[in-house]
């Protein structure tokens, strides 16, 4: 009998609603902060968009790799979307700043990302932030539509595992 099954379905990342996003994907806009990206932007300013745990982990990883990190979030703080241990680490890291109530409105550069235009929601004030990379962690849609009815999925389409499985699915 089988005791475990590994399902690697992949996902489609949520994308920022910016007209020239395609121009910079892979040329400064990324959806993961791997060792390759971290080394390529060491010593430089980067922007992480998103307030969840993935964004927090990426910000810490990038900072440890030598980048100065700006976390851009639409909310007023991280407390509703990120684990406290990450919030605490971010708060004491001198190379990470959190820009709350803020959104990315535009991307600038020639062949590679050079800066972003940020807008502070309450004031409407826009400013240019120089950066060599933008890391987007605003969610993903799991590629599991093929599995519907075959394996147990939650309301968002993620595969249910462990204690999340309903008894009738076992």
């Amino acid at each position: 009998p089988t005791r475990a099954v590994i399902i690697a379905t992949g996902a489609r990342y949520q994308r920022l609603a910016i007209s020239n996003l395609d121009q910079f994907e892979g040329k400064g806009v990324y959806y993961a902060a791997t060792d390759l990206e971290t080394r390529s932007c060491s010593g430089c300013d980067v922007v992480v968009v998103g307030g969840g745990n993935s964004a927090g982990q990426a910000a810490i990883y990038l900072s440890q790799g030598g980048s100065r990190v700006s976390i851009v979030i639409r909310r007023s703080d991280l407390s509703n979307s990120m684990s406290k241990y990450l919030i605490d680490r971010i708060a004491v890291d001198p190379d990470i700043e959190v820009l709350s109530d803020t959104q990315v409105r535009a991307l600038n550069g020639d062949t590679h990302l050079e800066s972003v235009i940020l807008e502070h929601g309450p004031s409407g004030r826009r400013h240019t932030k120089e950066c060599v990379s933008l890391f987007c962690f605003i969610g993903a849609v799991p590629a599991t539509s093929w599995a519907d009815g075959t394996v147990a999925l939650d309301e968002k389409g993620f595969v249910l595992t462990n204690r999340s499985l309903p008894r009738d699915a076992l």
Side-chain angles (χ1 to χ4, degrees):
T2 302
R3 296 196 35 91
V5 175
I6 296 173
I7 301 175
T9 64
R12 288 179 304 287
Y13 296 108
Q14 301 284 12
R15 300 171 76 234
L16 294 170
I18 295 176
S19 62
N20 63 344
L21 181 66
D22 291 349
Q23 175 186 345
F24 295 107
E25 287 180 319
K27 298 173 188 162
V29 173
Y30 306 102
Y31 298 93
T34 69
D35 187 53
L36 178 65
E37 291 88 14
T38 301
R39 282 186 285 144
S40 71
C41 60
S42 181
C44 301
D45 292 336
V46 301
V47 171
V48 172
V49 180
N53 286 344
S54 295
Q57 290 164 346
I60 291 167
Y61 186 63
L62 290 159
S63 172
Q64 289 173 341
S67 294
R68 292 172 303 280
V69 182
S70 298
I71 301 174
V72 174
I73 58 170
R74 292 181 301 183
R75 295 182 180 187
S76 60
D77 63 49
L78 296 167
S79 63
N80 288 328
S81 56
M82 190 179 289
S83 296
K84 183 173 178 353
Y85 84 94
L86 288 170
I87 295 169
D88 292 346
R89 287 189 63 190
I90 288 166
V92 298
D93 191 320
D95 291 320
I96 301 177
E97 67 174 339
V98 177
L99 304 175
S100 59
D101 299 310
T102 301
Q103 294 188 57
V104 177
R105 293 299 187 199
L107 307 175
N108 300 313
D110 290 321
T111 60
H112 195 276
L113 183 68
E114 296 173 13
S115 66
V116 296
I117 304 289
L118 301 177
E119 181 180 331
H120 182 252
S123 68
R125 186 175 81 77
R126 288 186 176 206
H127 74 278
T128 300
K129 174 97 177 130
E130 289 186 19
C131 64
V132 297
S133 297
L134 179 143
F135 295 88
C136 188
F137 293 95
I138 58 173
V141 176
T144 55
S145 60
W146 63 271
D148 195 18
T150 306
V151 297
L153 305 175
D154 70 8
E155 65 281 351
K156 294 181 179 178
F158 289 95
V159 176
L160 294 173
T161 61
N162 205 358
R163 293 187 178 111
S164 299
L165 277 168
R167 280 218 170 277
D168 61 349
L170 295 175

